[in-house]
Amino acid sequence: MRKKIVLLLLLAFCQKIASQSGYPKDYFINPLEIPLVLSGTFGELRSNHFHAGLDIKTQQVEGHKVVASADGYVSRINVSLWGYGNALYITHPNGYTTVYGHLQKFSPEIDAYVRKKQYENERYSIRLYPKSKELIVKKGQVIALSGNSGSSGGPHLHYEIRDVKSRTMNPMLFGITVPDHKNPTIQNAYAYALTDSSHVNQSANDVKIVFNRQYDGDLLANKIYAYGKIGFGINSYDRLDGALNRNGLYILDMSVNGERVFQFAADKFSFDESRFINSYIDYDKYINQKQRVQKCFVDHDMNNLSLYKRITDGGYINVKDSMEYTVSIIARDFTGNKTKLIIPIQGKKDSVAIPKKEKITNRYFKAKLPNTIKDSIITAYFPENIFYEDFYFDYSFENGVAKLHNSTVPVHKNFRLTFDVSSYKTEDVKKMYIAKKNKYGKLNYVSTKRKDNTLYTLSRYLGDFTLASDNHKPTVKTIGFANGQWLTKFKTLKVRIHDKGSGIKSYRGEIDGQWIRMAYDPKKGILTYDFSDKNLEGTLHNLKVVVTDNVNNSTTFTTTFNKKN
């Protein structure tokens, strides 16, 4: 007996050690020297992707000290106008890499390294991979200041932990803790009839479920009457302490008659699977109602999300006539707070009063096969496996607008759309581009390539496309100084650039004929040069800024200023 107890204790100890080695709890420290309050959680549902880290609030300002979470070396540096903006990647001896995004500026040592490379290459946006001994950092060392660079919607720090396979991991698994005493909120729930013979409350379409809160805090739905293969989904969010942001769930469970048939857990994923979010959610509701409904079923075999943990029969329920079922859907956050929705089901084979809504066209796309549309002007090629299901495709070309179905159908990979422009003059074609037309009629430039007598683009979005022309040059204006002005007390030099047509493709700044590092904030349209970058010889200086748009209209702006070192 005693040997058995010792063996059990030893086994428990080994399991604990194994768990700790999987996710070292005391290895990483918080990357900011202020209390952690989140605006975004790991695995949160975002546009076309799952959120890959934690978004940490910086009290609505930039400039907080960002520190290395552990010893290591800077293995990658990104300076980008979009995405993570200014970002650092630190590789640690335990094999993990931490990522720090949307930074305002790097520490002096790191910035000197970046500045040298930027001047060597004469380009601001740059991606660098320092060697392991070039930029060594210590745990708690200041590596940057927090900011709002890239695609950030406001000042914050984006923080990630990645493993040796570059999979992004939930930082909370490593002991990064954030207070949370609030239960998740389930706003809406839906039942889906998933075959031609199934129905819910006599409807072949999805049905909104009515529910009420009980005294014990659980949510109880009105009984639904269903038959055949059905599924469920919920629109839910979680709030953490200290913030009003609607964050994502950590775990979503569904059980039928007490047996778990579905689980989603936001612990880790690979970036190449992130776009499967558009299959995980009810994409139609996201586009039309701005609801991200998480489906508790997997509706096609192409979706291989590793965030699915326990799936039985795809998460579907085959409801039989006269049988009763109880479905429990539980939304949990990382600290264990939870909200349960209970849905009673009565199996009832009935007539369908509300038939399935579907527009029948003369084109039926098979998702597992390539599909092509071709007429005198338009060629659209859709490779196999870029759609999640078969459907009737709605196409027309009228008044110069190519209608490629609509935006409610997600596209997993690029398709190719080509316009024949042989009927246009060569000089006119040089200023033309392909634009996507939004629901308000606004035209937005999409990356356009030229080949022979065609213009083409690669896109992952359906909708309305047309040809547009841009004959306007970009504009360049100084901010806060005039031609010939003395700028001795100025720390920075700023100009505003803008293009009202195809958008800005590139820019170049020079002082006295030499390239200068001008940081570009595309959200504000401002170029900024920091005078501390280099010493200027003499007092009178010539500034030259060349800005080019996406159809190669170019503006060269020149002015002078005076400055003493």
Side-chain angles (χ1 to χ4, degrees), residues 14 49 55 58 64 118 130 195 198 214 266 277 320 379 395 465 500 538:
C14 290
H49 69 283
D55 281 347
T58 55
H64 284 286
Q118 288 172 319
T195 65
S198 59
Q214 305 301 293
I277 188 175
K320 297 180 179 179
T379 301
Y395 169 75
F465 295 83
K500 67 178 182 178

mmCIF file of all heavy atoms in Angstrom, residues 14 49 55 58 64 118 130 195 198 214 266 277 320 379 395 465 500 538:
data_model
loop_
_atom_site.group_PDB
_atom_site.id
_atom_site.type_symbol
_atom_site.label_atom_id
_atom_site.label_comp_id
_atom_site.label_asym_id
_atom_site.label_seq_id
_atom_site.Cartn_x
_atom_site.Cartn_y
_atom_site.Cartn_z
ATOM 1 N N CYS A 14 5.933 14.102 -11.225
ATOM 2 C CA CYS A 14 6.471 14.085 -12.590
ATOM 3 C C CYS A 14 5.545 14.806 -13.553
ATOM 4 O O CYS A 14 5.994 15.525 -14.444
ATOM 5 C CB CYS A 14 6.694 12.648 -13.046
ATOM 6 S SG CYS A 14 8.047 11.817 -12.187
ATOM 7 N N HIS A 49 -8.664 36.729 -39.067
ATOM 8 C CA HIS A 49 -7.624 36.058 -38.300
ATOM 9 C C HIS A 49 -7.977 35.999 -36.813
ATOM 10 O O HIS A 49 -8.806 36.769 -36.335
ATOM 11 C CB HIS A 49 -6.271 36.758 -38.474
ATOM 12 C CG HIS A 49 -6.202 38.119 -37.841
ATOM 13 N ND1 HIS A 49 -6.778 39.229 -38.406
ATOM 14 C CD2 HIS A 49 -5.627 38.546 -36.684
ATOM 15 C CE1 HIS A 49 -6.554 40.287 -37.628
ATOM 16 N NE2 HIS A 49 -5.871 39.894 -36.576
ATOM 17 N N ASP A 55 -3.122 42.333 -26.306
ATOM 18 C CA ASP A 55 -3.026 43.774 -26.512
ATOM 19 C C ASP A 55 -3.115 44.432 -25.143
ATOM 20 O O ASP A 55 -4.151 44.355 -24.478
ATOM 21 C CB ASP A 55 -4.152 44.273 -27.421
ATOM 22 C CG ASP A 55 -3.873 44.011 -28.888
ATOM 23 O OD1 ASP A 55 -2.722 43.666 -29.213
ATOM 24 O OD2 ASP A 55 -4.803 44.135 -29.703
ATOM 25 N N THR A 58 -1.939 51.047 -22.734
ATOM 26 C CA THR A 58 -0.851 51.915 -22.274
ATOM 27 C C THR A 58 -1.401 53.269 -21.827
ATOM 28 O O THR A 58 -0.798 54.306 -22.087
ATOM 29 C CB THR A 58 0.209 52.095 -23.367
ATOM 30 O OG1 THR A 58 -0.428 52.582 -24.566
ATOM 31 C CG2 THR A 58 0.910 50.786 -23.663
ATOM 32 N N HIS A 64 5.541 54.475 -22.959
ATOM 33 C CA HIS A 64 5.843 53.664 -21.776
ATOM 34 C C HIS A 64 7.021 52.738 -22.071
ATOM 35 O O HIS A 64 7.183 52.234 -23.191
ATOM 36 C CB HIS A 64 4.627 52.827 -21.375
ATOM 37 C CG HIS A 64 3.567 53.622 -20.681
ATOM 38 N ND1 HIS A 64 3.690 54.055 -19.376
ATOM 39 C CD2 HIS A 64 2.367 54.064 -21.111
ATOM 40 C CE1 HIS A 64 2.602 54.722 -19.035
ATOM 41 N NE2 HIS A 64 1.783 54.755 -20.066
ATOM 42 N N GLN A 118 19.172 51.035 -42.328
ATOM 43 C CA GLN A 118 18.273 51.838 -43.162
ATOM 44 C C GLN A 118 19.057 52.766 -44.074
ATOM 45 O O GLN A 118 18.721 52.922 -45.258
ATOM 46 C CB GLN A 118 17.315 52.633 -42.285
ATOM 47 C CG GLN A 118 16.236 51.775 -41.614
ATOM 48 C CD GLN A 118 15.420 52.555 -40.609
ATOM 49 O OE1 GLN A 118 15.961 53.355 -39.846
ATOM 50 N NE2 GLN A 118 14.118 52.323 -40.589
ATOM 51 N N PRO A 130 19.232 40.141 -36.954
ATOM 52 C CA PRO A 130 20.552 40.219 -36.320
ATOM 53 C C PRO A 130 21.064 38.834 -35.905
ATOM 54 O O PRO A 130 20.289 37.926 -35.603
ATOM 55 C CB PRO A 130 20.304 41.099 -35.082
ATOM 56 C CG PRO A 130 19.039 41.838 -35.387
ATOM 57 C CD PRO A 130 18.222 40.917 -36.225
ATOM 58 N N THR A 195 -28.983 20.269 -43.437
ATOM 59 C CA THR A 195 -29.213 19.476 -44.640
ATOM 60 C C THR A 195 -30.568 19.850 -45.224
ATOM 61 O O THR A 195 -31.367 20.549 -44.583
ATOM 62 C CB THR A 195 -29.182 17.965 -44.344
ATOM 63 O OG1 THR A 195 -30.291 17.635 -43.488
ATOM 64 C CG2 THR A 195 -27.881 17.554 -43.678
ATOM 65 N N SER A 198 -33.380 18.617 -42.899
ATOM 66 C CA SER A 198 -33.459 19.035 -41.494
ATOM 67 C C SER A 198 -34.162 20.375 -41.363
ATOM 68 O O SER A 198 -34.247 21.161 -42.305
ATOM 69 C CB SER A 198 -32.059 19.104 -40.883
ATOM 70 O OG SER A 198 -31.244 20.018 -41.592
ATOM 71 N N GLN A 214 -31.633 32.495 -15.474
ATOM 72 C CA GLN A 214 -32.253 31.838 -14.329
ATOM 73 C C GLN A 214 -31.648 32.367 -13.030
ATOM 74 O O GLN A 214 -30.669 33.116 -13.020
ATOM 75 C CB GLN A 214 -32.040 30.327 -14.431
ATOM 76 C CG GLN A 214 -32.532 29.716 -15.744
ATOM 77 C CD GLN A 214 -34.012 29.949 -15.970
ATOM 78 O OE1 GLN A 214 -34.842 29.420 -15.236
ATOM 79 N NE2 GLN A 214 -34.348 30.747 -16.986
ATOM 80 N N ALA A 266 -8.448 28.446 -26.874
ATOM 81 C CA ALA A 266 -7.480 29.414 -27.394
ATOM 82 C C ALA A 266 -6.154 29.262 -26.653
ATOM 83 O O ALA A 266 -5.821 30.059 -25.770
ATOM 84 C CB ALA A 266 -8.021 30.832 -27.264
ATOM 85 N N ILE A 277 -10.603 31.142 -39.490
ATOM 86 C CA ILE A 277 -11.596 31.813 -38.656
ATOM 87 C C ILE A 277 -12.873 32.079 -39.450
ATOM 88 O O ILE A 277 -13.977 32.065 -38.901
ATOM 89 C CB ILE A 277 -11.045 33.138 -38.077
ATOM 90 C CG1 ILE A 277 -12.016 33.729 -37.046
ATOM 91 C CG2 ILE A 277 -10.756 34.149 -39.171
ATOM 92 C CD1 ILE A 277 -11.509 34.960 -36.351
ATOM 93 N N LYS A 320 -33.659 12.998 -33.811
ATOM 94 C CA LYS A 320 -34.637 12.023 -34.291
ATOM 95 C C LYS A 320 -36.044 12.394 -33.820
ATOM 96 O O LYS A 320 -36.219 13.014 -32.768
ATOM 97 C CB LYS A 320 -34.258 10.624 -33.801
ATOM 98 C CG LYS A 320 -32.920 10.138 -34.341
ATOM 99 C CD LYS A 320 -32.577 8.751 -33.828
ATOM 100 C CE LYS A 320 -31.242 8.264 -34.383
ATOM 101 N NZ LYS A 320 -30.882 6.908 -33.878
ATOM 102 N N THR A 379 -11.995 38.010 -67.014
ATOM 103 C CA THR A 379 -11.636 36.621 -66.739
ATOM 104 C C THR A 379 -11.367 36.516 -65.243
ATOM 105 O O THR A 379 -10.550 37.281 -64.708
ATOM 106 C CB THR A 379 -10.380 36.173 -67.509
ATOM 107 O OG1 THR A 379 -10.606 36.329 -68.911
ATOM 108 C CG2 THR A 379 -10.056 34.722 -67.206
ATOM 109 N N TYR A 395 -22.871 36.318 -60.880
ATOM 110 C CA TYR A 395 -21.937 37.133 -61.656
ATOM 111 C C TYR A 395 -22.679 37.981 -62.682
ATOM 112 O O TYR A 395 -23.651 37.536 -63.307
ATOM 113 C CB TYR A 395 -20.931 36.261 -62.404
ATOM 114 C CG TYR A 395 -20.130 37.037 -63.427
ATOM 115 C CD1 TYR A 395 -19.106 37.888 -63.028
ATOM 116 C CD2 TYR A 395 -20.429 36.946 -64.789
ATOM 117 C CE1 TYR A 395 -18.386 38.624 -63.967
ATOM 118 C CE2 TYR A 395 -19.703 37.673 -65.735
ATOM 119 C CZ TYR A 395 -18.687 38.522 -65.310
ATOM 120 O OH TYR A 395 -17.982 39.259 -66.224
ATOM 121 N N PHE A 465 -15.991 44.991 -58.647
ATOM 122 C CA PHE A 465 -14.707 45.507 -59.102
ATOM 123 C C PHE A 465 -14.898 46.285 -60.401
ATOM 124 O O PHE A 465 -15.753 45.947 -61.223
ATOM 125 C CB PHE A 465 -13.717 44.361 -59.340
ATOM 126 C CG PHE A 465 -13.331 43.605 -58.107
ATOM 127 C CD1 PHE A 465 -14.148 42.593 -57.616
ATOM 128 C CD2 PHE A 465 -12.162 43.888 -57.432
ATOM 129 C CE1 PHE A 465 -13.796 41.874 -56.491
ATOM 130 C CE2 PHE A 465 -11.802 43.186 -56.292
ATOM 131 C CZ PHE A 465 -12.626 42.176 -55.823
ATOM 132 N N LYS A 500 -5.213 61.478 -53.583
ATOM 133 C CA LYS A 500 -6.656 61.257 -53.534
ATOM 134 C C LYS A 500 -7.151 60.222 -54.532
ATOM 135 O O LYS A 500 -8.340 59.937 -54.591
ATOM 136 C CB LYS A 500 -7.400 62.573 -53.769
ATOM 137 C CG LYS A 500 -7.264 63.163 -55.161
ATOM 138 C CD LYS A 500 -8.085 64.441 -55.273
ATOM 139 C CE LYS A 500 -8.026 65.053 -56.660
ATOM 140 N NZ LYS A 500 -8.861 66.273 -56.783
ATOM 141 N N GLY A 538 27.117 73.084 -42.402
ATOM 142 C CA GLY A 538 26.674 74.401 -42.823
ATOM 143 C C GLY A 538 25.355 74.788 -42.178
ATOM 144 O O GLY A 538 24.871 74.139 -41.244
#
